[in-house]
Amino acid sequence: PLSACPPHQYATRRADPHTNRTMRVLILLASLWFGSTAAFMPVGRSAKLQQQQPRRTMAPVPLQMGFFDQFFGGGGQAEANHILIKGDGADAKCEEIKQSIYDTALKGQDPSKGVVPDKLISAFQQNARKFSTCPSSKQGGSLGSFGKGQMVPEFDAVVFKEAIGVVHGPVKTQFGSHLILILDRDE
């Protein structure tokens, strides 16, 4: 015998309400799982394409929330270095440092051809280590990557609107006067 119930009861036997509820919960969880995994895939790439590419060559793709960007500021990221000067005469000191950075970066070059980015970054980092009062001076003034609204408004206004690869400033904030070198930004 396959069951403890007599054969005539198979047709009239009702499903256990607990089993029905369990099945509904399992189906719901499975649909949520399979439906939500697509939300975390990089935008514009299919799962099949991702599986074909080796992981080590894929660049990280930031999570894009789409609908929620309008409410939470939309994922603008930037990378910058800065030099912070405090006290009286901070703006004048920033101007001197700025001139020194460009003098060092342009050494032996025609200024009309522009500045080599690596030389500008190197000169900026040297001056940050030498003059900046911010703890980031130990890393050449590097602030790493940050999003809109993570810095004071005066700083954000420069980093997210002004030209990349140019020394900006002095920019006055509650902390003092800054020179800012924008290295990268999401457009």
Side-chain angles (χ1 to χ4, degrees), residues 76-175:
Q77 292 283 309
E79 184 178 346
N81 290 1
H82 84 124
I83 296 172
L84 173 63
I85 305 296
K86 296 180 180 181
D88 294 333
D91 285 353
K93 183 69 175 172
C94 280
E95 290 292 349
E96 289 174 26
I97 295 169
K98 187 179 192 179
Q99 186 61 50
S100 172
I101 291 168
Y102 278 106
D103 289 346
T104 303
L106 287 169
K107 196 174 224 172
Q109 290 184 10
D110 181 9
S112 66
K113 293 183 180 179
V115 180
V116 176
D118 290 341
K119 288 185 177 184
L120 181 63
I121 293 168
S122 177
F124 192 94
Q125 290 174 338
Q126 288 171 5
N127 279 276
R129 285 185 188 97
K130 189 174 181 181
F131 297 110
S132 184
T133 58
C134 181
S136 69
S137 65
K138 294 175 183 133
Q139 292 83 36
S142 175
L143 297 171
S145 182
F146 53 90
K148 286 182 182 176
Q150 287 186 283
M151 301 294 176
V152 292
E154 302 88 351
F155 201 93
D156 258 15
V158 171
V159 171
F160 289 100
K161 291 184 179 139
E162 299 297 331
I164 296 171
V166 177
V167 178
H168 298 282
V171 176
K172 274 192 156 314
T173 70
Q174 66 198 39
F175 301 106

Side-chain angles (χ1 to χ4, degrees), residues 21-78:
R21 190 173 335 133
T22 303
M23 287 304 292
R24 277 190 248 137
V25 169
L26 288 174
I27 291 169
L28 177 64
L29 289 174
S31 66
L32 287 173
W33 170 258
F34 291 114
S36 65
T37 55
F40 294 103
M41 290 183 61
V43 176
R45 301 183 75 166
S46 70
K48 188 174 184 179
L49 179 62
Q50 286 179 352
Q51 289 171 353
Q52 291 173 352
Q53 294 179 342
R55 276 203 167 266
R56 66 182 181 282
T57 61
M58 290 177 57
V61 178
L63 178 63
Q64 295 181 355
M65 295 175 68
F67 175 77
F68 293 105
D69 287 349
Q70 62 185 324
F71 302 111
F72 298 111
Q77 292 283 309

